Coordinates of all heavy atoms in Angstrom, one line a residue:
V505 N -7.5 -8.7 -45.9 CA -7.4 -9.5 -47.2 C -6.3 -10.5 -47.0 O -5.1 -10.1 -46.9 CB -7.3 -8.6 -48.4 CG1 -7.2 -9.5 -49.7 CG2 -8.4 -7.6 -48.5
D506 N -6.6 -11.8 -47.1 CA -5.6 -12.8 -46.9 C -4.9 -13.0 -48.2 O -5.2 -12.5 -49.3 CB -6.3 -14.1 -46.5 CG -5.4 -15.0 -45.7 OD1 -4.2 -14.7 -45.6 OD2 -5.9 -16.1 -45.2
K507 N -3.8 -13.9 -48.2 CA -3.0 -14.1 -49.3 C -3.7 -14.7 -50.5 O -3.3 -14.6 -51.6 CB -1.8 -15.0 -48.9 CG -2.1 -16.4 -48.4 CD -0.9 -17.2 -48.0 CE -0.3 -16.6 -46.7 NZ 0.8 -17.5 -46.2
D508 N -4.9 -15.4 -50.2 CA -5.7 -15.9 -51.3 C -6.7 -14.9 -51.8 O -7.6 -15.2 -52.6 CB -6.4 -17.2 -50.8 CG -7.3 -16.9 -49.5 OD1 -7.5 -15.7 -49.2 OD2 -7.8 -17.8 -48.9
G509 N -6.6 -13.7 -51.3 CA -7.5 -12.6 -51.8 C -8.9 -12.6 -51.1 O -9.7 -11.8 -51.5
E510 N -9.1 -13.5 -50.2 CA -10.4 -13.5 -49.4 C -10.3 -12.6 -48.2 O -9.3 -12.4 -47.6 CB -10.6 -15.0 -49.0 CG -10.8 -16.0 -50.1 CD -12.1 -15.7 -50.9 OE1 -13.1 -15.3 -50.3 OE2 -12.0 -15.8 -52.2
K511 N -11.5 -12.1 -47.9 CA -11.7 -11.3 -46.7 C -11.8 -12.2 -45.4 O -12.6 -13.1 -45.4 CB -12.9 -10.4 -46.7 CG -12.8 -9.3 -47.7 CD -14.0 -8.4 -47.7 CE -13.9 -7.2 -48.7 NZ -15.1 -6.3 -48.6
K512 N -10.9 -11.9 -44.4 CA -10.9 -12.8 -43.2 C -11.1 -11.9 -42.0 O -10.7 -10.7 -42.0 CB -9.6 -13.6 -43.1 CG -9.3 -14.5 -44.3 CD -10.2 -15.7 -44.3 CE -10.0 -16.6 -45.4 NZ -8.6 -17.2 -45.4
R513 N -11.6 -12.4 -40.9 CA -11.8 -11.7 -39.7 C -10.5 -11.8 -38.9 O -9.9 -12.9 -38.7 CB -12.9 -12.3 -38.8 CG -14.3 -12.2 -39.4 CD -14.7 -10.8 -39.5 NE -16.1 -10.7 -40.0 CZ -16.7 -9.6 -40.5 NH1 -15.9 -8.5 -40.7 NH2 -17.9 -9.6 -40.9
P514 N -10.0 -10.7 -38.4 CA -8.8 -10.8 -37.5 C -9.2 -11.2 -36.1 O -10.4 -11.1 -35.7 CB -8.2 -9.4 -37.6 CG -9.5 -8.5 -37.7 CD -10.4 -9.3 -38.6
Y515 N -8.2 -11.5 -35.3 CA -8.4 -11.7 -33.9 C -7.8 -10.4 -33.2 O -7.0 -9.7 -33.9 CB -7.6 -12.9 -33.3 CG -8.3 -14.2 -33.6 CD1 -9.6 -14.3 -34.2 CD2 -7.8 -15.4 -33.1 CE1 -10.2 -15.5 -34.4 CE2 -8.4 -16.6 -33.3 CZ -9.6 -16.6 -33.9 OH -10.2 -17.8 -34.1
I516 N -8.1 -10.2 -32.0 CA -7.7 -9.0 -31.3 C -7.2 -9.3 -29.9 O -7.8 -10.2 -29.2 CB -8.9 -8.0 -31.1 CG1 -9.4 -7.6 -32.5 CG2 -8.4 -6.7 -30.4 CD1 -10.8 -6.9 -32.5
I517 N -6.1 -8.7 -29.5 CA -5.6 -8.8 -28.2 C -5.8 -7.5 -27.5 O -5.3 -6.5 -28.0 CB -4.1 -9.2 -28.1 CG1 -3.9 -10.6 -28.8 CG2 -3.6 -9.3 -26.6 CD1 -2.4 -11.0 -28.9
H518 N -6.5 -7.4 -26.4 CA -6.6 -6.2 -25.6 C -5.6 -6.4 -24.4 O -5.6 -7.4 -23.8 CB -8.0 -6.1 -24.9 CG -9.1 -6.2 -25.9 ND1 -10.0 -5.2 -26.1 CD2 -9.6 -7.2 -26.7 CE1 -10.9 -5.6 -27.0 NE2 -10.7 -6.8 -27.4
R519 N -4.8 -5.4 -24.2 CA -3.7 -5.6 -23.2 C -3.2 -4.3 -22.6 O -3.4 -3.2 -23.2 CB -2.6 -6.4 -23.7 CG -2.0 -6.0 -25.0 CD -0.7 -5.1 -24.9 NE -0.9 -3.7 -24.7 CZ 0.0 -2.8 -24.6 NH1 1.3 -3.2 -24.7 NH2 -0.3 -1.5 -24.4
T520 N -2.7 -4.4 -21.4 CA -1.9 -3.3 -20.9 C -0.5 -3.8 -20.7 O -0.3 -5.0 -20.4 CB -2.4 -2.8 -19.5 OG1 -2.6 -3.9 -18.6 CG2 -3.8 -2.1 -19.7
S521 N 0.5 -3.0 -20.8 CA 1.9 -3.4 -20.6 C 2.3 -3.2 -19.2 O 3.0 -4.0 -18.6 CB 2.8 -2.6 -21.5 OG 2.6 -1.2 -21.4
M522 N 1.8 -2.1 -18.5 CA 2.1 -1.9 -17.1 C 0.9 -1.7 -16.3 O 0.9 -1.7 -15.1 CB 3.0 -0.6 -17.0 CG 3.6 -0.4 -15.6 SD 4.3 1.3 -15.5 CE 2.8 2.2 -15.7
G523 N -0.2 -1.5 -17.0 CA -1.5 -1.3 -16.3 C -1.8 0.2 -16.1 O -1.5 1.0 -16.9
C524 N -2.6 0.4 -15.0 CA -3.0 1.7 -14.7 C -1.9 2.5 -14.0 O -1.3 2.0 -13.0 CB -4.3 1.6 -13.8 SG -4.8 3.1 -12.9
Y525 N -1.6 3.7 -14.4 CA -0.5 4.4 -13.8 C -0.8 4.8 -12.4 O 0.1 4.7 -11.5 CB -0.3 5.7 -14.7 CG 0.4 5.4 -16.0 CD1 -0.3 5.3 -17.2 CD2 1.8 5.2 -16.0 CE1 0.3 5.0 -18.4 CE2 2.5 5.0 -17.2 CZ 1.7 4.9 -18.4 OH 2.3 4.6 -19.6
E526 N -2.0 5.2 -12.1 CA -2.3 5.6 -10.7 C -2.2 4.4 -9.8 O -1.6 4.5 -8.7 CB -3.8 6.2 -10.6 CG -3.9 7.5 -11.3 CD -4.2 7.4 -12.8 OE1 -4.1 6.3 -13.4 OE2 -4.4 8.5 -13.4
R527 N -2.8 3.3 -10.2 CA -2.7 2.1 -9.3 C -1.3 1.6 -9.2 O -0.9 1.1 -8.1 CB -3.6 1.0 -9.9 CG -3.7 -0.3 -9.1 CD -4.7 -1.3 -9.6 NE -6.1 -0.8 -9.4 CZ -7.1 -1.5 -9.8 NH1 -7.0 -2.7 -10.4 NH2 -8.3 -1.0 -9.7
T528 N -0.5 1.7 -10.3 CA 0.9 1.3 -10.2 C 1.7 2.2 -9.2 O 2.5 1.7 -8.5 CB 1.6 1.3 -11.6 OG1 0.9 0.4 -12.4 CG2 3.0 0.9 -11.5
L529 N 1.4 3.5 -9.3 CA 2.1 4.4 -8.4 C 1.7 4.0 -6.9 O 2.6 4.0 -6.0 CB 1.6 5.8 -8.6 CG 2.2 6.9 -7.7 CD1 3.7 6.9 -7.6 CD2 1.7 8.3 -8.1
A530 N 0.5 3.7 -6.6 CA 0.1 3.3 -5.3 C 0.9 2.0 -4.9 O 1.4 1.9 -3.8 CB -1.4 3.0 -5.2
W531 N 1.0 1.1 -5.8 CA 1.7 -0.2 -5.6 C 3.2 0.1 -5.2 O 3.7 -0.5 -4.3 CB 1.6 -1.0 -6.8 CG 2.1 -2.4 -6.8 CD1 2.4 -3.2 -5.7 CD2 2.3 -3.3 -7.9 NE1 2.7 -4.4 -6.1 CE2 2.7 -4.5 -7.4 CE3 2.1 -3.1 -9.3 CZ2 3.0 -5.6 -8.3 CZ3 2.5 -4.1 -10.1 CH2 2.9 -5.4 -9.6
L532 N 3.8 1.0 -6.0 CA 5.2 1.3 -5.8 C 5.4 2.1 -4.5 O 6.5 1.9 -3.8 CB 5.7 2.1 -7.0 CG 5.8 1.4 -8.3 CD1 6.2 2.3 -9.4 CD2 6.6 0.1 -8.3
I533 N 4.5 2.9 -4.1 CA 4.6 3.6 -2.8 C 4.7 2.6 -1.7 O 5.6 2.7 -0.8 CB 3.4 4.6 -2.6 CG1 3.5 5.8 -3.6 CG2 3.4 5.1 -1.2 CD1 2.2 6.6 -3.6
E534 N 3.8 1.6 -1.7 CA 3.8 0.6 -0.7 C 4.9 -0.3 -0.8 O 5.5 -0.7 0.3 CB 2.4 -0.1 -0.7 CG 1.3 0.8 -0.4 CD -0.1 0.1 -0.4 OE1 -0.2 -1.1 -0.8 OE2 -1.1 0.8 0.0
K535 N 5.3 -0.7 -2.0 CA 6.4 -1.6 -2.2 C 7.7 -1.0 -1.6 O 8.5 -1.7 -0.9 CB 6.6 -1.9 -3.7 CG 7.9 -2.6 -4.1 CD 8.0 -4.0 -3.7 CE 9.2 -4.7 -4.2 NZ 9.3 -6.1 -3.9
Y536 N 8.0 0.2 -1.9 CA 9.3 0.8 -1.6 C 9.2 1.8 -0.4 O 10.2 2.4 0.0 CB 9.8 1.6 -2.8 CG 10.2 0.7 -3.9 CD1 9.5 0.6 -5.1 CD2 11.3 -0.1 -3.8 CE1 9.9 -0.2 -6.1 CE2 11.7 -1.0 -4.8 CZ 11.0 -1.0 -6.0 OH 11.3 -1.9 -7.0
E537 N 8.0 1.8 0.3 CA 7.8 2.7 1.4 C 8.2 4.2 1.0 O 8.7 4.9 1.8 CB 8.5 2.3 2.6 CG 8.1 0.9 3.1 CD 8.8 0.5 4.4 OE1 8.8 1.3 5.4 OE2 9.3 -0.6 4.4
G538 N 7.9 4.5 -0.3 CA 8.2 5.9 -0.7 C 9.7 6.1 -1.2 O 10.0 7.1 -1.8
M539 N 10.5 5.1 -0.9 CA 11.9 5.2 -1.4 C 12.1 4.5 -2.7 O 12.6 3.4 -2.9 CB 12.8 4.6 -0.3 CG 12.9 5.4 0.9 SD 14.0 4.8 2.2 CE 13.1 3.4 2.8
F540 N 11.6 5.2 -3.8 CA 11.6 4.7 -5.1 C 13.0 4.5 -5.7 O 13.9 5.1 -5.2 CB 10.8 5.6 -6.0 CG 9.4 6.0 -5.6 CD1 9.2 7.3 -5.0 CD2 8.4 5.1 -5.7 CE1 7.9 7.6 -4.6 CE2 7.1 5.5 -5.2 CZ 6.9 6.7 -4.7

Side-chain angles (χ1 to χ4, degrees):
V505 178
D506 205 354
K507 62 182 69 175
D508 58 10
E510 296 293 323
K511 291 183 177 180
K512 301 286 180 64
R513 296 292 184 203
Y515 281 1
I516 302 166
I517 300 173
H518 307 242
R519 49 99 276 181
T520 54
S521 51
M522 190 194 63
C524 168
Y525 286 98
E526 290 84 355
R527 186 174 289 181
T528 299
L529 176 56
W531 189 15
L532 296 176
I533 293 170
E534 296 183 352
K535 165 75 175 180
Y536 293 109
E537 297 183 52
M539 291 183 283
F540 305 106

